Amino acid sequence: MRITVAAVGRMKAGPEQTLAGHFQSRITWPVEIREVEEKKKLPAAALKNREGELLLAACPRGATIVALDERGTCLTSRAFAKRLGGWRDDGLADVAFIIGGADGLAKDVLAGAALTLSLGSLTWPHMLARGMLLEQIYRAQQILAGHPYHRD
């Protein structure tokens, strides 16, 4: 199973990039980060829709889409691991996690997602959300392997 993280914005050097890189390097599934950015100044609604188009285009064809959104489902780490493990065991080739920009995700992205996932009730900077997501993917990998990284 290949994992793609499609995200709005370019990650700059700093603690968020270090965090994301640390966990990405520990994940045994192939993980690719694809960053998208719209250079044109557009009104907020048009920008959100354009970012949605760019994000979907950055995902592998046929990938199962997981959209990160504050209104999404809050899963425990074990439930998240079970979902990833199920997809892996079903032979799913590609899973793409989508992280929007400051204004969130377009309705088309949310409507096409197999899962809309929330990282909690709090609002997180989208650059920090990358590291948090990658840590949870790593944690899921460790849970599925029976490794003691995750303790209940």
Side-chain angles (χ1 to χ4, degrees), residues 3-8 32 34 36 48 51-60 63-70 95-101 104-106 108-119 126 129-130 133 137:
I3 296 174
T4 300
V5 177
V8 171
E32 183 179 359
R34 296 183 181 176
V36 302
K48 185 160 61 169
E51 288 173 346
E53 293 169 0
L54 292 171
L55 287 164
L56 290 173
C59 297
T64 295
I65 304 294
V66 178
L68 273 68
D69 184 85
E70 65 183 335
V95 177
F97 292 88
I98 295 181
I99 301 172
L105 292 169
D108 290 349
V109 174
L110 294 170
L115 173 64
T116 304
L117 181 66
S118 173
L119 295 178
H126 55 274
R130 292 184 200 189
L133 171 63
I137 295 169

Side-chain angles (χ1 to χ4, degrees), residues 26 36 39 49 56 85 106 120-121 130:
R26 298 180 83 181
V36 302
K39 300 281 189 185
N49 287 332
L56 290 173
S121 304
R130 292 184 200 189

Side-chain angles (χ1 to χ4, degrees), residues 62-83:
T64 295
I65 304 294
V66 178
L68 273 68
D69 184 85
E70 65 183 335
R71 294 170 300 272
T73 302
C74 285
L75 296 175
T76 66
S77 294
R78 286 208 177 274
F80 181 65
K82 184 176 180 181
R83 181 75 60 108

Side-chain angles (χ1 to χ4, degrees), residues 29-47:
W29 290 306
V31 178
E32 183 179 359
I33 309 296
R34 296 183 181 176
E35 298 175 319
V36 302
E37 196 170 34
E38 176 54 56
K39 300 281 189 185
K40 293 179 188 172
K41 295 288 184 195
L42 299 172
L47 179 61

Side-chain angles (χ1 to χ4, degrees), residues 128-143:
L128 183 56
R130 292 184 200 189
M132 295 168 62
L133 171 63
L134 289 164
E135 190 281 336
Q136 285 299 302
I137 295 169
Y138 172 70
R139 183 176 296 272
Q141 168 191 287
Q142 298 307 91
I143 289 169

